[in-house]
């Protein structure tokens, strides 16, 4: 296993990390613990979760699984995307961050979280509020480092400037999607990470299963397309159907490339994320022990320049094909913010 520095913290993390989004929800406690043990035995030292996953069950299971191996594990968790049933019981206010971290520490059965991450950006919470609160928690020893998830480049720059102004703790990492058909990270975020010594922890290398090699053109279009409901142009063209046909045509080309190279499409997809110099770690999110073992079996694969050039010819750098996989919708994308009302 290769280990790389987490930003400029001096802490080294494994090139692959174990994501716990399925623990306690799509994977049972027993299966989840087996996956955690397998990953740690393989050499993975970074486990990522969130207080949202399984409504806290993921954190509880991880805490139980690593209780006797805590010193060899770097724990990363997230806050801010909770499903709130009561007012002020979610988000990124000072009040809630302090409550959320205490709850996570209890579930994880630990005194500290190595990397505490803001799950989503918040338009109506100032970064000063968030960063000053996280800075206090770091001084108290409850968290060691702080990071973000699903942020854009300009948001990362804004947050870094605020940390410099005070000065206080700065975000050392960003967790973002990255795959063969979602290369948007390369357009801006990768360069921001380089300029500010940020580690990129990339997730969804298989684009939600699209790059497992199981799908072919037309299959998804037939299963998930909908009839157009608007009049005029939309009556003659279903944009979702057209998009799916285009998307799966691209995936077929990638499959052909993998066949020519004599490798599995899934292995090529994961290896592709490791080829970018700004990527510190690729998160695996298995649902079963068999899926984790499949990840491990292809972990040593490295792509040559010829294969990478061929990928660029199919999906240009910075381009995103899987636009349907939207992890969050910014406030400024609402109809009210996109239209000039009369």
């Amino acid at each position: 296993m290769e280990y790389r520095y987490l930003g400029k913290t001096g802490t080294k993390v494994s090139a692959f990390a174990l994501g716990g989004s399925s623990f306690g929800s799509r994977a049972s406690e027993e299966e989840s613990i087996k996956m955690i043990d397998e990953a740690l035995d393989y050499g993975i030292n970074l486990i990522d979760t969130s207080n949202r996953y399984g409504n806290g069950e993921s954190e509880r299971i991880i805490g139980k699984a690593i209780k006797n191996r805590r010193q060899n594990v770097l724990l990363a968790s997230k806050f801010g995307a909770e499903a709130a049933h009561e007012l002020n019981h979610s988000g990124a206010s000072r009040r809630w961050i302090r409550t959320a971290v205490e709850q996570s520490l209890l579930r994880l059965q630990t005194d500290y979280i190595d990397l505490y991450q803001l799950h989503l950006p918040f338009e109506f919470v100032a970064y000063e509020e968030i960063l000053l609160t996280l800075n206090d928690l770091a001084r108290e020893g409850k968290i060691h480092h702080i990071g973000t998830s699903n942020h854009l480049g300009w948001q990362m720059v804004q947050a870094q400037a605020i940390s410099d102004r005070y000065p206080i703790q700065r975000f050392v990492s960003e967790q973002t999607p990255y795959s063969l058909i979602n290369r948007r990270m390369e357009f801006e975020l990768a360069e921001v990470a380089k300029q500010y010594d940020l580690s990129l922890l990339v997730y969804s290398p298989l684009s939600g299963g699209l790059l497992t090699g199981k799908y072919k053109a037309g299959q998804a279009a037939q299963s998930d397309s909908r009839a157009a409901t608007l009049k005029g142009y939309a009556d003659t063209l279903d944009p979702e159907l057209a998009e799916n046909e285009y998307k799966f045509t691209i995936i077929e080309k990638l499959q052909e490339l993998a066949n020519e190279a004599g490798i599995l499409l899934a292995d090529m997809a994961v290896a592709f994320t490791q080829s970018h110099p700004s990527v510190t770690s690729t998160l695996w999110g298995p649902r079963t022990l068999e899926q984790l073992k499949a990840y491990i079996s292809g972990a040593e694969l490295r792509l040559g320049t010829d294969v990478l050039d061929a990928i660029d010819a199919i999906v240009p750098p910075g381009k995103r094909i899987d636009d349907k996989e939207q992890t969050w919708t910014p406030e400024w994308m609402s109809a009210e913010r996109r239209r000039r009302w009369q």
Side-chain angles (χ1 to χ4, degrees):
M1 175 65 68
E2 182 182 353
Y3 298 91
R4 300 163 182 163
Y5 283 110
L6 180 68
K8 292 291 186 177
T9 66
T11 299
K12 285 190 173 182
V13 300
S14 47
F16 297 100
L18 181 64
S21 60
S22 296
F23 299 166
S25 53
R26 290 172 290 184
S28 67
E29 177 176 319
E30 180 182 5
E31 185 81 351
S32 300
I33 291 176
K34 288 180 180 178
M35 285 190 276
I36 293 168
D37 288 340
E38 182 79 16
L40 295 179
D41 290 343
Y42 176 62
I44 286 175
N45 72 342
L46 177 61
I47 300 179
D48 176 78
T49 184
S50 168
N51 62 359
R52 175 181 179 174
Y53 300 157
N55 291 322
E57 275 297 287
S58 177
E59 288 184 327
R60 186 191 65 79
I61 291 171
I62 292 171
K64 179 178 180 179
I66 69 167
K67 189 173 182 180
N68 297 323
R69 307 173 74 169
R70 178 66 183 94
Q71 295 303 313
N72 297 321
V73 177
L74 295 172
L75 269 180
S77 193
K78 297 184 284 290
F79 69 94
E82 306 84 4
H85 302 292
E86 297 182 41
L87 188 64
N88 293 321
H89 282 226
S90 66
S93 67
R94 174 178 289 269
R95 180 178 186 270
W96 177 249
I97 293 174
R98 281 197 161 274
T99 301
V101 74
E102 295 294 349
Q103 292 177 350
S104 291
L105 289 170
L106 285 173
R107 286 190 289 261
L108 290 165
Q109 300 185 54
T110 185
D111 296 326
Y112 62 93
I113 295 172
D114 296 280
L115 179 63
Y116 202 43
Q117 303 157 105
L118 176 61
H119 209 146
L120 299 170
F122 287 86
E123 180 181 16
F124 299 110
V125 184
Y127 276 118
E128 288 89 341
E129 180 82 4
I130 299 169
L131 287 164
L132 286 167
T133 304
L134 294 174
N135 190 67
D136 290 343
L137 292 174
R139 286 182 174 180
E140 295 165 16
K142 295 179 179 179
I143 60 177
H144 286 174
H145 309 295
I146 60 175
T148 56
S149 178
N150 298 307
H151 277 55
L152 302 177
W154 67 267
Q155 294 168 324
M156 300 306 304
V157 172
Q158 182 184 30
Q160 294 290 317
I162 291 169
S163 291
D164 287 341
R165 186 186 310 158
Y166 277 90
I168 51 177
Q169 285 273 323
R170 64 172 60 245
F171 293 127
V172 301
S173 65
E174 157 64 10
Q175 195 173 133
T176 188
Y178 185 47
S179 74
L180 287 169
I181 58 175
N182 183 356
R183 302 183 61 174
R184 189 167 294 176
M185 177 206 80
E186 300 169 341
F187 188 78
E188 180 186 41
L189 195 55
E191 189 61 21
V192 171
K194 179 181 177 181
Q195 294 295 324
Y196 289 92
D197 296 317
L198 288 164
S199 281
L200 292 181
L201 313 176
V202 299
Y203 68 87
S204 200
L206 300 182
S207 282
L210 291 175
L211 297 171
T212 57
K214 297 179 181 179
Y215 300 101
K216 295 182 179 180
Q219 289 182 345
Q222 295 171 4
S223 64
D224 66 7
S225 63
R226 55 178 174 79
T229 58
L230 301 178
K231 296 184 181 299
Y233 180 70
D235 287 333
T236 60
L237 176 64
D238 184 343
E240 186 171 344
L241 178 61
E243 179 184 321
N244 277 329
E245 288 179 344
Y246 171 65
K247 176 171 59 182
F248 282 89
T249 298
I250 295 298
I251 292 174
E252 281 196 348
K253 291 181 179 179
L254 292 169
Q255 179 68 72
E256 292 171 2
L257 174 60
N259 293 342
E260 292 174 3
I263 55 181
L264 296 175
L265 175 60
D267 290 345
M268 184 174 80
V270 174
F272 169 78
T273 65
Q274 286 284 298
S275 67
H276 199 291
S278 291
V279 172
T280 297
S281 189
T282 300
L283 275 75
W284 294 337
R287 300 182 186 181
T288 66
L289 182 60
E290 288 68 29
Q291 287 181 356
L292 175 60
K293 289 181 177 180
Y295 275 122
I296 292 174
S297 67
E300 301 303 316
L301 176 66
R302 295 294 180 267
L303 302 181
T305 302
D306 55 339
V307 175
L308 292 172
D309 288 345
I311 290 171
D312 288 347
I314 299 171
V315 183
K319 190 173 180 60
R320 181 176 183 177
I321 306 299
D322 65 336
D323 285 326
K324 287 299 176 184
E325 187 192 333
Q326 194 78 353
T327 55
W328 68 287
T329 302
E331 292 88 347
W332 59 85
M333 290 297 290
S334 65
E336 292 80 4
R337 297 283 289 274
R338 288 186 288 106
R339 295 169 181 163
R340 190 185 302 277
W341 299 100
Q342 300 297 326

